[in-house]
Amino acid sequence: MRRHHDMGGLPAGPVERTEHDHAPWEKKVDAILRLLVAKKVMTLDELRRGIEELGPGAYDELSYFERWIRSITNILLEKGVLGVHELGRAIEAAKARRAAAEACPKTVPTA
Amino acid sequence: MSHDHHEHDHDHDHEHDHGHGHPPGERHPFQPDLEDGPYTWHMALADAVEALLLEKGIFRPEEMRRTLEDIDSKTPANGARLVARAWVDPAFKARLLADVNAAAAELGIDAGPIPIRAVECRPGEHHVIVCTLCSCYPRLLLGAAPDWYKARAYRSRVVREPRAVLAELGLELSEEVAVVVHDSTAELRFMVLPERPAGTEGWDEARLAALVTRDCLIGVARPEVPRA
Amino acid sequence: MSGPFAPGRRVRVKALYPPGHTRTPWYTRGREGVILDLVDVEPDPEERAYGRPGLPAVPVWRVVFAQHELWPDYAGPAGDRVVVGIFEPWLEPVEERS
């Protein structure tokens, strides 16, 4: 059963020299992962397994750090570090914070 | 690129009462990255996971800040310094080939806890790195991998038709030169130690290091002396 | 290191195709190569990926595969090769042909 991520040797199109500077939210995902690994909450092996289990659709449709945060979240849910309901609330809270900051950015302190 | 990191310098309960603007006197705990463009669901997910992990005490705000600073401090210039030193100091080169992490520490560079091996290009032998299964890269030394390194085309093809892939990236190799592809599968990362180009005799390390690009350290380019 | 695995030994990657997480690339399975060196002894990623400790740790060997062994229709020179870290449980010794 060859899975989607195991792509060495398969035909593919030309290599395109795409690159971008990482956005702050991407660095945040990277930092979350590093801290979780350093604190032994999860391993890189679990991160990889979680990415592989997102399936071929997600693999092609999501960006690199979108796959990471999806995998990290699923692993933390599996381990009971996070709960589904509190995560739902926290996502809505994050959106509300963003909306509030966009409405009045000058009230956001810089330090 | 902005270094507009999130500051979390207080630890009050930030999970509640956030739906309707800021209560008077409250300092905003999560400074949104307004320059990220549209706020996607995945950005909200990342913010939510971070908020919950902070709330649960899994890590502290200052640990997040330090980790972000560490991420920003890792650049290909670290690898270029190692290569330049190896070119001028054969004893250092031997130590670099034996243990990149220890050699980096000699120059005050923290290469992180995952071992890194240097693979040396020689006349008749060129090395290039990939990770076909995910996208392992010596990021704790060189910073983030470029997007193309993580993309399907490179990962799929460089183990099957390395010469064609290198040519697409601008490196044509003669049949006299063997191509050695290193596929990172274990807890070991690789960096390429390129050959010192001709015409650089007597150059100092800083001048040499300027020739060593990230792509040279991946093995999809060779250092080139600019034409005078 | 004693046993059948040591630098210079000819080995074959087992032709096994299980579901689940592994660090053995598909394209190496059933292929023969030569051990270059020992990477390290590492917790088994096939266990760690599922939240278990992966102990005892297993040796990981760097194995050199000739491109012509991996891809019979490979068009480049005979010296071209791929070096892959393979966890020892995936390796079996190959009897040297005399």
Side-chain angles (χ1 to χ4, degrees), chain C residues 26-97:
Chain C
W26 187 276
Y27 72 88
T28 65
R29 299 191 202 170
R31 305 295 178 180
E32 290 183 19
V34 175
I35 291 179
L36 177 62
D37 58 11
L38 180 70
V39 172
D40 204 346
V41 176
E42 298 180 6
D44 186 348
E46 295 170 14
E47 290 291 308
R48 285 228 294 190
Y50 298 94
R52 301 187 289 269
L55 300 174
V58 295
V60 188
W61 300 95
R62 281 204 298 169
V63 178
V64 182
F65 299 91
Q67 287 280 17
H68 289 280
E69 164 71 12
L70 294 175
W71 327 103
D73 63 348
Y74 186 73
D80 287 3
R81 50 205 192 267
V82 183
V83 184
V84 190
I86 305 285
F87 289 74
E88 192 176 283
W90 277 89
L91 292 176
E92 56 194 13
V94 173
E95 297 306 321
E96 299 293 340
R97 288 165 276 232

Side-chain angles (χ1 to χ4, degrees), chain B residues 46-66:
Chain B
D47 284 337
V49 168
E50 179 196 31
L52 289 172
L53 293 172
L54 287 167
E55 182 181 298
K56 290 165 187 288
I58 304 286
F59 49 73
R60 297 193 307 280
E62 57 271 26
E63 291 176 307
M64 173 56 78
R65 184 165 54 239
R66 267 203 301 276

Side-chain angles (χ1 to χ4, degrees), chain B residues 4 6 101 191 228:
Chain B
D4 185 14
H6 302 243
N101 306 64
M191 64 166 270

Side-chain angles (χ1 to χ4, degrees), chain B residues 117 125 131-134 136 159-160 162-163 175 178-188 190, chain C residues 22-25 27 37-39 42 60 62 67 71 73-74 77 79-85 87:
Chain B
R117 194 83 61 98
E125 192 173 293
C131 170
T132 61
L133 293 174
C134 45
C136 299
V159 290
R160 176 83 165 84
R163 290 172 186 272
E175 301 254 314
V179 177
V180 186
V181 182
H182 297 265
D183 188 357
S184 308
T185 53
E187 286 308 286
L188 177 67
F190 299 96
Chain C
T22 178
R23 296 299 289 172
T24 304
Y27 72 88
D37 58 11
L38 180 70
V39 172
E42 298 180 6
V60 188
R62 281 204 298 169
Q67 287 280 17
W71 327 103
D73 63 348
Y74 186 73
D80 287 3
R81 50 205 192 267
V82 183
V83 184
V84 190
F87 289 74

